[in-house]
Amino acid sequence: MTPTDSAPPSPSPMELLAPAGSLAAFEAALQEGADAVYIGAPGLNARALARDFTFGEIAAMTAHAHACGKKIYVAMNSLMKEDEVRQALETLSMLAKIGPDALILQDLGVLHLARRFFPQLAVHASTLMTVNNSMAAAHLKRLGFERIVLARELSLEEIGAIHDRCDVPLEIFIHGAMCFSYSGLCRFSSLHGGKSSLRGQCVQPCRRRYEWQPSGKRSVGGHAGKGLGYFFSMNDLSGIEHLAEVRQAGVVSLKIEGRLKSVEYVRNTVRAYRLALNALDAPPQQRSGMLEEAQRYLDAAMGRKRSSGFFVPGKEDRMILPKLSGSTGEVIGKVTRIDEVKGFRGARTLTLQVGLQTAVKLGDRLRLYEERSGDRKSFSLRALTVKGKQVDQAQSGQTALITLPDIEPSIFRQPSHGLLFRIDVSGRAENQRSALTRSAAKMPPPLPDPFQVEKALTTLAMGTEHKRDGRDRSPSQRPAAERNRPPQTRPTGPQWWLKAQSLESLGQRYPFRVAKFLIDLNQRNLEYFLYVRQRRSAKLPPLVWALPTVIHEAQLPGVRKAVEQIRLLGPSCFQISQIGQMALFSDEGQTPTEHSLAVYGDYSCNALNSPALRMYGECGLAGVQFSLETDRATLAAALTHFSQSPLPQDDQRMQVGLHVYGRPPLFSARLDAPHFQGQRTFASSRGERFYLDRREETLYAFSHSAFSLLQYTDELVQAGVDYLVVDISHGQAKRECAEVTALLSGRGDTPTVFSGNYAGALV
């Protein structure tokens, strides 16, 4: 055997995957060495871009990428509302004609449409599907996903373990912005801002400044102090120093975040990572110089401060610097004073007094960021004064006056707590003379196949609108499966589920008859359950065991064992948090059929449309809670269409539930940073109060006000919700029951609550 024969095979090259929010960024990514580029599907991607690509541009980019031997992926990873199903089908129809290399999805409803009607399209699972373990990754592969984009909260060791235990290709984020909450589990922006992060509309509450408060304090002081900070604003991820370990972990694709970023950001980050990847196999004497050069390119990209994220445990103190705002760009200086000047014909002008930390010149693009309120204003520097003289440039250490015309002064209050940033907009304007731009302008956009779309809508029973109970239809107009089954009657009242913190708290008196009790599957509850079962005289209520929202690889054996212990004791019910957890109850992808087992889905399954409900039913669930983020119209339309869809072979329609009371987590995070001191209350500049809590290795942020749809109980039952979930697990049981009673009866002191998007419109 020769030395060559005995040498271990070289690792496969990792794909460098770049973002593009414009044609210019797309071209820059390919020019700098990206192997693939990902873009957003118009109107259905999880980034609210200033301008979506047209389908003609997508067709031109796809043709260009393939001609260069590169790949292009289309992110269709927004949660789909019911009134967007037709748009999604039309988009899938056009993309099937264009032929990108894969779609990136998070919504099981979109997956249902793609797999059933457009099977030629390859699909990748978005990081928003919160895949944290090998079990979930393998189960998603069985559902049809050809690649899994792992959650960003994993260590290199955990990524390697997932690779070793399942054969699905893995993609990770290697560089860019980080969210404080687990991927796919942030509801702060939606429930307290009306704009869903899962639909690309995040208002970034994690980037705002908050104040720690002692218990009982009701308002926020208007002064700076030790309790003020950007507690949740994550530094950018940078894995450029760990590429060798990433390759060893079996990752096939390295994704750079930044579809909202400028062309020069894309150019510099792609250039840096291409250089660093080349350095992996370069002679040792050249590697350090290549990595130093790569770091200089990252500095030029004008991102936030960088850290290695969760790749290397023990560096949590580097992920958040609470005294820094986390705004992108280069800090120019601190605004020490803001004055208003009335100009010609009443025009308002602001003058900023700035202590400069670096040089600034006319023409720079700047952003004024008010730390307390989070208000931001970008502008081009047109007037600069130092020591009473107008200048073209000012130096670090000088105090300068900067004029901002046409700004509403009321958004910036005195005393000022503003920071001034220089931001990168270079290369934003696309080169109109490039071959790609000319090709895109001439490329006729593909048209959706109207026959195919209408056929799909008819198959989904969405071609026409009907009432849920079918009373406006003649028997011949009803779907065959509905005509052939016995008539069903709606229950006269709602079916109530109650979630409690522990089995000991189930002895409370409740304002309704409880059909099922939800209880978290944790060690304490399991031990108490096993103890009670040993007492023959003890009678337990009907229980549904709620699986943890996040299960990391090291926790899988314990969860499997707990599930097996419960199932061995007889008929059992469980509630999953993610579709990948169905693997705990199925064999090689087959759905559970035994009558002694029922599996339900939590609201974290993000079912926001009738195709998603159909998909969960086909996966074997007995029921699933509809998305917590829903508005009234979306819920009603989805339930109407779902009720009209053909029944599965067993003639049992999956139940649909809804969370109607509780304190749903706004953040669910892995990071327990040093500045989180115990269970603390924090408040926004608007006086909104929240608190932190730790449970089962996860840090949660909750609102002090409860979420409630109890005032809409009759309406929800009439719309077709099968069971209503009341969660009292995040407070003292007796007090929570009193609040629920007051809200249901409308008598007594009703607590302050919020209803999320239900009475408005989900954006």
Side-chain angles (χ1 to χ4, degrees):
M1 180 179 292
T2 65
T4 302
D5 294 332
S6 63
S10 299
S12 300
M14 293 181 289
E15 174 186 83
L16 181 56
L17 177 55
S22 67
L23 290 173
F26 173 81
E27 290 185 285
L30 295 184
Q31 290 166 1
E32 297 301 333
D35 301 300
V37 177
Y38 67 102
I39 62 174
L44 293 168
N45 69 92
R47 285 291 185 272
L49 298 173
R51 185 186 78 84
D52 280 326
F53 289 114
T54 67
F55 286 100
E57 290 172 333
I58 294 175
M61 286 187 286
T62 302
H64 182 77
H66 290 170
C68 297
K70 309 289 186 176
K71 294 183 178 181
I72 186 166
Y73 307 129
V74 178
M76 197 172 170
N77 58 341
S78 172
L79 281 188
M80 175 177 65
K81 294 170 63 174
E82 189 70 8
D83 61 5
E84 295 170 341
V85 173
R86 176 184 289 274
Q87 179 188 356
L89 285 167
E90 292 175 346
T91 297
L92 289 168
S93 176
M94 288 184 278
L95 291 175
K97 294 180 180 181
I98 293 172
D101 294 277
L103 305 184
I104 306 170
L105 310 179
Q106 71 149 321
D107 191 325
L108 285 193
V110 181
L111 175 68
H112 180 79
L113 300 180
R115 292 273 61 83
R116 182 162 187 180
F117 303 111
F118 306 95
Q120 68 270 42
L121 288 168
V123 291
H124 295 174
S126 169
T127 188
L128 296 173
M129 296 195 76
T130 322
V131 178
N132 294 280
N133 58 61
S134 58
M135 176 188 70
H139 191 76
L140 290 184
K141 180 184 179 182
R142 290 196 289 268
L143 290 180
F145 289 105
E146 299 180 17
R147 181 189 290 185
I148 308 298
V149 187
L150 292 176
R152 306 184 203 196
E153 297 77 25
L154 300 178
S155 69
L156 291 170
E157 182 179 357
E158 289 169 325
I159 294 169
I162 294 172
H163 166 71
D164 291 341
R165 294 166 189 168
C166 69
D167 60 353
V168 60
L170 302 178
E171 176 180 307
I172 66 167
F173 276 91
I174 195 67
H175 191 92
M178 293 275 287
C179 298
F180 176 71
S181 186
Y182 275 104
S183 305
L185 295 181
C186 179
R187 297 179 185 87
F188 209 141
S189 177
S190 181
L191 298 184
H192 282 273
K195 295 186 176 182
S196 171
S197 61
L198 300 180
R199 288 176 48 79
Q201 300 289 335
C202 185
V203 296
Q204 296 189 320
C206 59
R207 300 294 181 192
R208 296 174 182 167
R209 191 163 78 156
Y210 295 95
E211 180 181 8
W212 293 125
Q213 292 191 302
S215 299
K217 188 173 181 181
R218 294 286 175 180
S219 61
V220 180
H223 59 278
K226 294 182 179 179
L228 289 167
Y230 302 92
F231 306 139
F232 313 106
S233 185
M234 300 279 284
N235 291 333
D236 279 359
L237 168 66
S238 178
I240 200 164
E241 297 177 352
H242 302 284
L243 295 184
E245 299 99 304
V246 170
R247 183 166 67 175
Q248 187 65 32
V251 172
V252 303
S253 181
L254 304 175
K255 175 178 281 185
I256 297 170
E257 182 275 338
R259 283 191 288 129
L260 294 177
K261 301 291 181 63
S262 71
V263 176
E264 287 306 306
Y265 170 89
V266 173
R267 186 183 305 280
N268 281 304
T269 51
V270 173
R271 185 181 292 171
Y273 277 88
R274 175 48 63 199
L275 189 59
L277 285 170
N278 292 341
L280 288 178
D281 300 313
Q285 63 272 20
Q286 297 180 12
R287 290 175 192 167
S288 60
M290 295 172 73
L291 288 176
E292 289 177 4
E293 185 179 357
Q295 292 285 6
R296 288 195 292 271
Y297 288 132
L298 293 182
D299 292 339
M302 287 194 184
R304 299 177 182 89
K305 286 188 175 295
R306 303 190 293 274
S307 78
S308 58
F310 293 91
F311 285 155
V312 182
K315 296 185 177 182
E316 289 79 6
D317 58 332
R318 304 181 186 182
M319 286 195 242
I320 296 178
L321 301 175
K323 294 301 181 183
L324 297 181
S325 72
S327 184
T328 57
E330 179 186 10
V331 178
I332 296 299
K334 179 81 173 178
V335 179
T336 56
R337 182 181 177 86
I338 298 179
D339 292 316
E340 178 184 355
V341 179
K342 291 186 178 180
F344 181 66
R345 294 183 178 178
R348 291 174 169 180
T349 299
L350 293 186
T351 299
L352 311 179
Q353 181 176 289
V354 184
L356 295 176
Q357 299 177 18
T358 187
V360 66
K361 65 181 184 301
L362 296 183
D364 283 348
R365 186 69 177 172
L366 306 180
R367 180 193 298 122
L368 173 60
Y369 178 75
E370 175 52 51
E371 296 178 287
R372 293 168 305 182
S373 65
D375 290 326
R376 307 179 187 204
K377 183 64 180 180
S378 299
F379 62 96
S380 296
L381 182 56
R382 303 300 183 198
L384 183 62
T385 303
V386 176
K387 295 181 180 180
K389 296 182 179 180
Q390 289 195 351
V391 296
D392 295 334
Q393 182 171 341
Q395 304 301 320
S396 174
Q398 293 182 323
T399 298
L401 295 180
I402 293 175
T403 302
L404 283 74
D406 303 323
I407 303 295
E408 176 54 52
S410 62
I411 67 173
F412 300 108
R413 297 173 293 177
Q414 292 286 6
S416 171
H417 293 277
L419 289 174
L420 203 60
F421 291 83
R422 177 166 34 228
I423 56 178
D424 172 31
V425 294
S426 57
R428 234 180 222 179
E430 298 180 8
N431 182 359
Q432 297 298 320
R433 292 174 294 180
S434 73
L436 175 61
T437 305
R438 293 195 301 270
S439 174
K442 297 178 181 179
M443 179 74 71
L447 298 177
D449 185 335
F451 176 79
Q452 189 177 29
V453 171
E454 292 301 330
K455 182 179 179 181
L457 290 171
T458 301
T459 302
L460 296 168
M462 297 177 64
T464 57
E465 293 294 332
H466 305 293
K467 292 183 180 179
R468 179 180 170 85
D469 58 12
R471 287 177 294 181
D472 63 334
R473 294 175 288 164
S474 67
S476 63
Q477 292 175 311
R478 299 178 188 174
E482 187 174 329
R483 294 199 304 269
N484 296 333
R485 74 174 188 268
Q488 299 181 5
T489 57
R490 296 287 303 161
T492 56
Q495 183 184 121
W496 292 96
W497 289 26
L498 185 118
K499 184 173 185 183
Q501 187 176 60
S502 65
L503 285 167
E504 297 96 314
S505 63
L506 298 184
Q508 295 285 330
R509 296 183 62 182
Y510 304 110
F512 42 71
R513 182 178 179 275
V514 179
K516 285 185 172 62
F517 285 91
L518 269 166
I519 199 81
D520 283 332
L521 180 58
N522 55 42
Q523 190 62 34
R524 183 176 182 275
N525 284 335
L526 179 59
E527 289 176 355
Y528 188 82
F529 170 75
L530 297 175
Y531 165 75
V532 172
R533 282 296 302 260
Q534 291 174 355
R535 300 170 57 191
R536 295 179 182 272
S537 60
K539 184 178 180 181
L540 288 170
L543 293 179
V544 179
W545 293 92
L547 297 180
T549 304
V550 175
I551 303 175
H552 287 289
E553 192 70 22
Q555 299 167 321
L556 265 180
V559 174
R560 289 185 191 275
K561 181 179 178 180
V563 169
E564 291 172 2
Q565 284 181 283
I566 294 169
R567 293 183 64 181
L568 287 173
L569 294 174
S572 51
C573 296
F574 295 87
Q575 178 177 270
I576 63 171
S577 296
Q578 314 292 340
I579 189 59
Q581 294 176 356
M582 280 299 289
L584 290 165
F585 312 101
S586 58
D587 181 20
E588 294 302 322
Q590 300 299 313
T591 56
T593 56
E594 58 188 277
H595 297 293
S596 61
L597 172 67
V599 182
Y600 297 86
D602 197 2
Y603 59 73
S604 56
C605 289
N606 292 325
L608 192 61
N609 51 72
S610 58
L613 295 177
R614 291 168 63 103
M615 187 73 179
Y616 279 111
E618 292 175 6
C619 288
L621 271 70
V624 68
Q625 292 182 47
F626 205 74
S627 171
L628 192 69
E629 298 186 13
T630 189
D631 54 36
R632 174 188 281 117
T634 297
L635 174 67
L639 291 179
T640 296
H641 292 141
F642 181 61
S643 71
Q644 296 167 354
S645 61
L647 285 171
Q649 292 180 355
D650 61 4
D651 204 30
Q652 294 293 318
R653 189 179 302 281
M654 183 188 69
Q655 290 186 304
V656 180
L658 191 66
H659 183 99
V660 294
Y661 178 84
R663 287 175 173 78
L666 304 176
F667 291 143
S668 300
R670 189 172 198 181
L671 176 62
D672 195 354
H675 59 277
F676 299 142
Q677 303 169 21
Q679 182 173 334
R680 296 288 302 273
T681 290
F682 62 98
S684 71
S685 61
R686 302 174 182 175
E688 302 162 311
R689 298 174 69 244
F690 312 97
Y691 67 95
L692 296 178
D693 194 10
R694 294 167 181 80
R695 296 188 182 188
E696 300 296 319
E697 302 183 25
T698 300
L699 181 74
Y700 297 101
F702 299 100
S703 171
H704 273 286
S705 298
F707 170 87
S708 177
L709 299 180
L710 291 172
Q711 60 271 43
Y712 304 110
T713 297
D714 293 339
E715 176 183 318
L716 295 172
V717 174
Q718 184 64 31
V721 176
D722 297 301
Y723 59 98
L724 306 177
V725 181
V726 171
D727 184 354
I728 62 169
S729 66
H730 295 285
Q732 200 276 330
K734 186 175 182 180
R735 184 189 65 197
E736 292 288 303
C737 286
E739 291 191 358
V740 171
T741 301
L743 289 166
L744 282 172
S745 66
R747 297 189 297 269
D749 295 331
T750 56
T752 300
V753 296
F754 67 97
S755 58
N757 305 306
Y758 184 77
L762 173 63
V763 180

